[in-house]
Amino acid sequence: MTRPLILVSNDDGYSSMGINALLKALAPLGEVVAVAPANDQSAISHAISLNRPLRLNQQPSLMVDNQEVKIYSVDGTPTDSVYMGVHYVLKGRRPDLVVSGINHGANLGYDVLYSGTVSAAMEGAMLGITSVAVSLVSLHNYNFDVAATFTREFCSGILKKSWPKATLFNVNVPKRAQDLN
């Protein structure tokens, strides 16, 4: 049985605490590859870069339980990152799942229209890949590990089932979940 291929992105940048917690949590589920903006791109919505070439750079890999997690940065938006991840980094290998996050702060109501986190997952869904946007509902004292553990369990369930094309899950982990740890 082949391990699922999971593309991870976000809007906070490839070196953010949220994405690093997510990469560590998702690695046991399959082959994980991260393609995320080089810099913070929060609240950029579903913008794409059309008027300049994008730069894709491989960053140092993350080792999780003897598994290499490759990390790439894109000097563009979260949407650019997912597009480049699917069409260039993975070179025709179709991800089973796109996961974006973990965002610091909720993505609820109108916020989803501005969210780069949700837009990265939306790009995955628009490409026909089941996608998940994950946000931690907290204004201070972020415990990304609890949200990452929840996300691993959530994604494990998603990978066990077939979903209609363009399925997008917007997950907001409540702050109280941090208190359960």
Side-chain angles (χ1 to χ4, degrees):
M1 183 171 103
T2 60
R3 293 170 44 103
L5 177 58
I6 303 169
L7 176 62
V8 176
S9 195
N10 71 359
D11 68 350
D12 295 321
Y14 75 93
S15 63
S16 72
M17 290 175 27
I19 199 169
N20 280 292
L22 192 55
L23 295 174
K24 292 173 188 170
L26 293 177
L29 297 181
E31 179 184 351
V32 176
V33 177
V35 183
N39 302 302
D40 186 349
Q41 296 288 313
S42 294
I44 197 142
S45 192
H46 204 93
I48 57 174
S49 300
L50 297 175
N51 299 321
R52 64 179 181 82
L54 293 171
R55 287 189 173 78
L56 175 72
N57 294 304
Q58 187 164 6
Q59 301 297 330
S61 295
L62 180 66
M63 293 301 293
V64 181
D65 297 330
N66 294 321
Q67 178 181 328
E68 180 182 25
V69 175
K70 292 184 178 177
I71 301 172
Y72 298 84
S73 64
V74 175
D75 69 339
T77 68
T79 302
D80 294 332
S81 298
V82 171
Y83 185 90
M84 290 192 70
V86 170
H87 294 290
Y88 295 98
V89 173
L90 298 178
K91 296 178 184 144
R93 294 174 57 215
R94 192 105 177 126
D96 298 290
L97 187 64
V98 170
V99 183
S100 179
I102 299 170
N103 189 65
H104 50 80
N107 275 309
L108 301 165
Y110 289 129
D111 290 344
V112 300
L113 300 175
Y114 300 104
S115 171
T117 302
V118 175
S119 292
M122 189 181 305
E123 184 67 15
M126 288 172 59
L127 294 171
I129 305 162
T130 300
S131 300
V132 180
V134 182
S135 302
L136 178 56
V137 183
S138 180
L139 297 176
H140 309 288
N141 303 322
Y142 302 104
N143 183 343
F144 291 109
D145 294 332
V146 172
T149 299
F150 173 82
T151 303
R152 178 181 57 234
E153 297 307 314
F154 184 80
C155 290
S156 176
I158 288 173
L159 288 167
K160 291 177 184 171
K161 188 175 177 190
S162 178
W163 296 94
K165 280 191 176 226
T167 298
L168 169 66
F169 295 93
N170 181 33
V171 177
N172 285 272
V173 180
K175 181 183 182 329
R176 290 190 52 107
Q178 297 181 88
D179 300 334
L180 300 175
N181 190 7

